[in-house]
């Protein structure tokens, strides 16, 4: 049944979105708004219509990002039901090694971040806040275990950012200014062979960005809170067609951020003694060289992160290097080919992957610089049982050369699709996934020297995801419903070393979650569309040496949005509501998260437009972290943007 709906486009960089998602409508002509089907390449490493994809999937277009009021990709992904992120700063801002993360279906650090299909997670961490918005063509969010096709770290799902490709000559420049010190400047220009862009952003001080740490005060004799300091970021990207077969993608980001832990003591001397400012410079690079010829595709990829951190106690004028400093790198090659059988009814996608990950700390004497080599062979076979029934069987074998203990991992997957008619389908998706410990967990400071401290019997975290779903997509409305169950074991934990410090990495924890996700979108008219979505689940975790389960993430989420466009005006609003949350350090339940955004835009002519965004309209102290520590989103803020096309 796939023959008339698919093409052999195995690489994400060659994907083309054909319309809107179950999400906020794409701004444009009424004809564009009526296109309801979209194409993804993430779910099965080939181009498939959403209706033909046996997995839970959301596609977020570049216009959807703007329509939701999102400042970046991190904000946009949070509008997908089932995603409850963890953030230290607004819009996923990372404070040094304190990394914000996308949590899919309640699993901490279970999401694999891809850019154009290539893995971006470094040392077990993958962020989205540093990806320049104007470089994004669309984002594909795949929920469910995905290690069969993508290897380690895709325990609960994959977020694949697809960047823009050269299409036609032209460009745009945008200037944005708002309160809280926000400024943004962006220039993008493209030709049929090359597209380039640069983005410069600034943010101001946010004081406070957490509540007063009363529980800490009892232990230290004083209380403190956290404040975000001024910061800025620089993002650059380029995509170029070197030939009909070769495409080069390159991106670079620089983020300078800082935060302070400020004592609330009345004495200025004591306050300075117990207050500290931490500042960071975070550099990230990503490059991929893609070859595509017929049914064969190959990619050489590289990405790195160089984090530099310093801190200063306020009774001193000097900054000193802190333990956050490190350099992480990843590079490799991925080659795959597709074979078609029975006149295109069946297909086999098979490939090989080889990559190396490295981690080097830059603070203190280095005992070792750990690295990990991974080699994998994978395959995905689709067989048409009957005209309306298709099965897909996948298998991946991964050979991992690890500095502590090498591993051999098999990750199978089985999918079944029943096409009810041209508008509806049912599917089942069962898959196994795994992840390895971070390389930084392998070596810790013991007696001022770096030593290998991980348990020698350390196993990968691994488990299964079970899912059944229903999709109904028409020109006027669409439904998606998914029921899922997750069961993972061997979760990593810590045990004391010979000095009593919790530095030894071991297995022992478990994670379970059962839930339901539902989404509905409807075209109210040729110019307007609304969407709603909800997710209810029961994420729970059992710690090592414990015999009881505790809540691991929020249980209930509602999202929704409305968008209207005309030749001159456009406006819309979006809402993300998260409730039934976890306890914090003070013993209280974290308050409901209510993110309500709105915008209005005016089109002067074909080349120039003005837009006003308002975010956090209720001016809430939204807690954007989960569990013990509270970190707040920004208060009410606005931004005025002018765009000139050329």
């Amino acid at each position: 049944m796939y023959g008339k709906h698919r093409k052999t486009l195995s690489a994400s960089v060659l994907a083309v979105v054909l319309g809107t998602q179950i999400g906020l409508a794409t701004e444009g002509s009424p004809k564009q708004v009526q296109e309801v089907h979209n194409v993804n390449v993430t779910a099965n490493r080939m181009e498939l219509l959403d209706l033909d994809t046996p997995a839970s999937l959301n596609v977020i277009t570049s216009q959807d990002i703007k329509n939701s009021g999102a400042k970046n990709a991190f904000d946009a992904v949070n509008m997908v039901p089932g995603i409850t992120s963890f953030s230290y700063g607004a819009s996923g801002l990372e404070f040094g090694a304190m990394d914000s993360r996308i949590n899919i279906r309640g699993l901490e650090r279970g999401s694999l971040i891809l850019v154009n299909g290539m893995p971006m997670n470094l040392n077990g961490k993958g962020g989205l806040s540093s990806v320049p918005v104007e470089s994004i063509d669309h984002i594909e969010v795949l929920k469910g275990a995905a290690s069969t096709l993508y290897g380690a770290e895709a325990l609960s799902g994959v977020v694949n950012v697809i960047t823009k490709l050269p299409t036609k000559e032209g460009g745009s420049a945008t200037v944005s200014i708002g309160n809280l010190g926000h400024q943004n400047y962006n220039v993008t220009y493209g030709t049929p062979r090359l597209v380039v862009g640069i983005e410069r952003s600034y943010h101001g001080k946010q004081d406070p960005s957490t509540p007063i740490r009363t529980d800490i005060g009892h232990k230290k004799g004083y209380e403190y809170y956290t404040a975000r300091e001024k910061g800025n970021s620089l993002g650059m990207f380029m995509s170029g067609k070197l030939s009909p077969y070769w495409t080069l993608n390159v991106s670079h980001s620089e983020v300078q951020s800082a935060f302070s832990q400020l004592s609330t003591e009345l004495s200025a001397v004591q306050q300075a003694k117990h207050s500290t400012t931490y500042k960071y410079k975070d550099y990230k690079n990503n490059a991929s060289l893609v070859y595509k010829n017929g049914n064969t595709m190959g990619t050489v990829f590289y990405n790195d992160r160089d984090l530099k951190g310093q801190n200063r106690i306020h009774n001193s004028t000097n900054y000193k290097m802190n333990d956050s400093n490190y350099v992480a790198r990843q590079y490799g090659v991925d080659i795959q080919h597709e074979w078609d059988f029975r006149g295109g009814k069946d297909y086999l996608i098979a490939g090989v992957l080889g990559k190396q990950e490295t981690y080097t700390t830059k603070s203190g004497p280095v005992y070792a610089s750990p690295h990990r080599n991974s080699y994998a062979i994978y395959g995905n076979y689709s067989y048409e049982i009957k005209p309306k029934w298709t099965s897909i069987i996948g298998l991946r074998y991964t050979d991992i050369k690890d500095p502590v203990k090498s591993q051999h991992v098999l990750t199978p997957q089985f999918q079944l699709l029943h096409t009810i008619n041209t508008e509806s389908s049912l599917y089942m998706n069962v898959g196994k996934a795994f992840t390895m410990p971070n390389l930084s967990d392998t070596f810790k400071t013991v007696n001022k020297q770096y030593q290998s401290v991980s348990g020698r019997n350390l196993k990968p975290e691994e488990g299964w995801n079970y899912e059944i779903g229903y999709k109904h997509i028409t020109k006027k409305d669409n439904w998606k419903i998914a029921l899922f169950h997750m069961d993972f074991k061997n979760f990593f934990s810590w045990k004391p070393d010979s000095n009593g410090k919790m530095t030894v990495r071991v297995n022992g924890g478990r994670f379970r979650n059962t839930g339901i996700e539902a989404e509905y979108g409807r075209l109210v008219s040729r110019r307007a569309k609304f969407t709603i979505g909800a997710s209810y689940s029961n994420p729970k975790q059992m710690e090592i040496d414990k015999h009881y389960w505790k809540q691991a993430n929020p249980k209930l989420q509602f999202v929704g949005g409305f968008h209207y466009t005309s030749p001159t005006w456009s406006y819309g609003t979006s809402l993300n509501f998260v409730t039934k949350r976890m306890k914090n350090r003070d013993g209280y339940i974290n308050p409901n998260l209510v993110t309500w955004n709105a915008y209005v835009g005016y089109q002067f002519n074909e080349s120039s437009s003005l837009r006003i965004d308002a975010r956090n309209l209720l001016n809430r102290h939204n807690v954007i972290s989960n569990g013990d520590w509270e970190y707040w989103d920004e208060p009410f803020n606005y931004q005025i943007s002018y765009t000139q096309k050329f």
Side-chain angles (χ1 to χ4, degrees):
M1 65 148 292
Y2 286 106
K4 64 180 180 179
H5 291 311
R6 66 179 178 86
K7 296 179 182 179
T8 312
L9 293 184
S10 306
S12 298
V13 294
L14 300 176
V16 178
V17 174
L18 299 182
T20 64
Q21 62 160 17
I22 249 185
L24 297 175
T26 301
E27 186 173 308
S29 68
K31 183 178 179 180
Q32 289 175 318
V33 173
Q34 287 183 353
E35 292 292 340
V36 294
H37 291 283
N38 61 52
V39 170
N40 81 92
V41 293
T42 304
N44 288 80
R45 292 182 75 107
M46 63 177 298
E47 200 174 50
L48 284 178
L49 291 178
D50 191 352
L51 201 61
D52 295 339
T53 301
S56 179
L57 180 84
N58 292 80
V59 178
I60 307 169
T61 69
S62 59
Q63 192 61 49
D64 292 333
I65 297 176
K66 296 178 181 179
N67 292 346
S68 67
K71 291 183 179 179
N72 54 27
F74 185 92
D75 282 345
V77 170
N78 274 288
M79 293 301 296
V80 174
I83 293 184
T84 52
S85 65
F86 185 111
S87 185
Y88 289 99
S91 301
L93 180 66
E94 298 167 337
F95 290 139
M98 298 162 56
D99 291 81
S100 298
R101 46 198 179 268
I102 298 295
N103 297 337
I104 300 177
R105 291 177 172 172
L107 184 58
E108 281 282 307
R109 304 189 185 280
S111 308
L112 178 62
I113 306 301
L114 308 175
V115 171
N116 298 323
M118 297 300 104
M120 289 292 291
N121 290 30
L122 288 167
N123 195 39
K125 303 170 183 178
L128 283 172
S129 60
S130 62
V131 181
V133 171
E134 291 301 323
S135 72
I136 299 173
D137 182 86
H138 66 283
I139 304 170
E140 298 179 0
V141 181
L142 172 67
K143 288 177 282 190
S147 285
T148 299
L149 291 179
Y150 294 102
E153 301 187 64
L155 278 77
S156 58
V158 171
V159 178
N160 191 7
V161 179
I162 315 297
T163 59
K164 293 178 179 178
L165 285 170
T167 54
K168 60 183 180 179
E169 187 168 3
S172 66
T174 300
V175 176
S176 303
I177 299 176
N179 65 336
L180 300 180
H182 283 293
Q183 300 177 51
N184 184 273
Y185 308 92
N186 178 275
V187 177
T188 303
Y189 180 75
T191 71
R193 296 184 61 87
L194 177 71
V195 59
V196 295
I198 183 169
E199 184 175 86
R200 184 68 159 162
S201 299
Y202 299 87
H203 64 257
K205 186 180 180 69
Q206 182 183 343
D207 186 2
S209 62
T210 70
I212 295 174
R213 313 287 197 190
T214 56
D215 58 333
I216 297 297
H218 296 308
K219 298 176 182 178
K220 293 189 175 183
Y222 61 90
E223 298 173 344
Y224 73 85
Y225 66 91
T226 300
R228 182 191 73 184
E229 304 295 337
K230 294 181 179 180
N232 62 81
S233 64
L234 172 67
M236 298 178 286
F237 76 96
M238 181 277 291
S239 180
K241 294 180 179 178
L242 305 183
S243 76
Y245 304 120
W246 292 93
T247 303
L248 176 65
N249 304 286
V250 179
S251 66
H252 169 78
S253 74
E254 301 177 8
V255 178
Q256 297 192 45
S257 62
F259 72 96
S260 297
Q261 291 181 342
L262 303 174
S263 166
T264 62
E265 295 169 283
L266 297 179
S267 168
V269 174
Q270 290 296 105
Q271 188 180 87
K273 180 180 178 181
H274 295 142
S275 297
T276 305
T277 293
Y278 302 82
K279 65 178 184 180
Y280 300 93
K281 294 182 179 180
D282 197 355
Y283 303 91
K284 296 179 182 178
N285 297 286
N286 170 253
S288 61
L289 180 62
V290 182
Y291 172 80
K292 179 69 176 67
N293 185 4
N295 287 6
T296 301
M297 195 276 291
T299 304
V300 179
F301 61 91
Y302 170 85
N303 56 295
D304 65 32
R305 181 182 187 183
D306 187 350
L307 180 64
K308 302 176 181 179
Q310 295 179 310
N311 59 273
R312 176 183 67 86
I313 300 175
H314 287 197
N315 62 2
S316 171
T317 58
N318 298 322
Y319 279 90
K320 63 179 181 179
M321 184 181 296
N322 60 40
D323 291 338
S324 298
N325 291 260
Y326 72 86
V327 176
R329 294 187 176 91
Q330 180 176 233
Y331 48 90
V333 60
D334 192 336
I335 302 172
Q336 71 175 56
H337 184 79
E338 178 184 344
W339 294 265
D340 292 332
F341 306 100
R342 296 201 299 162
K345 293 182 179 180
D346 308 334
Y347 68 85
L348 169 67
I349 291 178
V352 294
L353 168 76
K355 70 175 182 179
Q356 182 178 81
E357 304 164 77
T358 66
Y359 173 87
T360 304
T361 183
K362 299 194 298 182
S363 55
V366 178
Y367 176 82
S369 179
H371 66 274
R372 176 184 292 144
N373 294 331
S374 300
Y375 310 95
I377 180 171
Y378 58 87
N380 214 30
Y381 183 75
S382 175
Y383 176 74
E384 184 181 290
I385 304 171
K386 293 181 178 181
K388 291 189 175 184
W389 289 90
T390 301
S391 64
I392 302 176
I393 299 176
L395 184 66
R396 186 187 194 94
Y397 169 74
T398 308
D399 181 12
I400 303 170
K401 307 300 182 185
D402 189 76
V404 175
K405 183 181 180 181
S406 296
Q407 304 286 343
H408 305 275
V409 184
L410 278 174
T411 47
Q413 186 172 29
F414 175 73
Q415 297 170 299
L416 183 65
L417 178 73
H418 173 51
T419 302
I420 301 172
N421 50 47
T422 57
E423 298 176 344
S424 305
S425 64
L426 285 167
Y427 69 88
M428 178 179 68
N429 183 15
V430 179
K432 186 179 182 181
F434 78 100
T435 192
M436 295 291 292
N438 297 344
L439 285 174
S440 60
D441 296 340
T442 303
F443 297 90
K444 295 291 181 182
T445 305
V446 180
N447 297 327
K448 297 183 179 181
Q449 291 291 325
Y450 278 80
Q451 299 180 14
S452 177
V453 296
S454 292
R456 290 295 169 179
N457 294 320
L458 197 63
K459 300 176 182 178
E461 292 181 349
E462 61 181 10
W464 290 84
N465 180 89
Y466 309 88
E467 178 182 325
I468 57 173
Y470 170 75
K471 299 178 183 181
H472 177 76
I473 303 175
T474 72
K475 288 186 176 181
K476 287 190 176 181
D477 61 2
N478 44 55
W479 277 97
K480 290 184 182 180
I481 302 175
L483 298 169
F484 64 88
H485 175 70
M486 306 163 66
D487 191 354
F488 289 88
K489 63 180 181 179
N490 299 333
F491 262 47
F492 303 134
S493 188
W494 299 102
K495 280 200 169 183
D497 57 25
S498 57
N499 295 322
K501 295 183 178 181
M502 303 296 284
T503 61
V504 180
R505 205 59 155 155
V506 295
N507 298 115
R510 296 194 65 181
F511 174 86
R512 288 178 180 172
N513 192 13
T514 301
I516 181 172
E517 297 160 352
E519 304 170 70
Y520 177 69
R522 183 174 180 84
L523 289 170
V524 181
S525 69
R526 292 170 61 87
R527 300 187 185 277
K529 182 178 181 178
F530 78 87
T531 60
I532 56 174
S535 172
Y536 180 80
S537 62
N538 186 27
K540 53 187 180 179
Q541 189 165 338
M542 181 185 292
E543 304 289 351
I544 185 172
D545 298 330
K546 303 293 183 182
H547 302 285
Y548 59 88
W549 295 90
K550 69 176 184 178
Q551 186 176 342
N553 247 295
K555 294 183 177 182
L556 183 60
Q557 176 193 28
F558 297 96
V559 298
F562 175 81
H563 171 69
Y564 173 87
T565 184
S566 73
T568 305
W569 290 94
S570 64
Y571 54 82
T573 185
S574 65
L575 177 71
N576 181 22
F577 175 73
V578 180
T579 186
K580 292 189 177 294
R581 306 187 71 188
M582 304 165 64
K583 287 185 177 181
N584 55 38
R585 294 184 66 91
D586 297 324
Y588 301 104
I589 300 295
N590 282 335
N592 297 336
L593 185 149
V594 184
T595 304
W596 183 21
N597 302 330
Y599 76 92
V600 59
Y602 182 77
Q603 193 77 30
F604 295 103
N605 51 52
E606 292 184 356
S607 301
S608 59
S609 61
L610 184 70
R611 174 177 167 130
I612 301 175
D613 282 274
R615 303 181 177 95
N616 193 3
L617 290 171
L618 299 180
N619 196 32
R620 291 175 58 89
H621 283 308
N622 278 327
V623 177
I624 52 178
S625 50
N626 301 311
D628 290 350
W629 298 96
E630 283 191 32
Y631 286 84
W632 291 340
D633 197 357
E634 289 181 321
F636 169 78
N637 61 99
Y638 62 85
Q639 191 164 287
I640 302 173
S641 305
Y642 176 79
T643 299
Q644 180 69 46
K645 296 181 179 180
F646 52 87

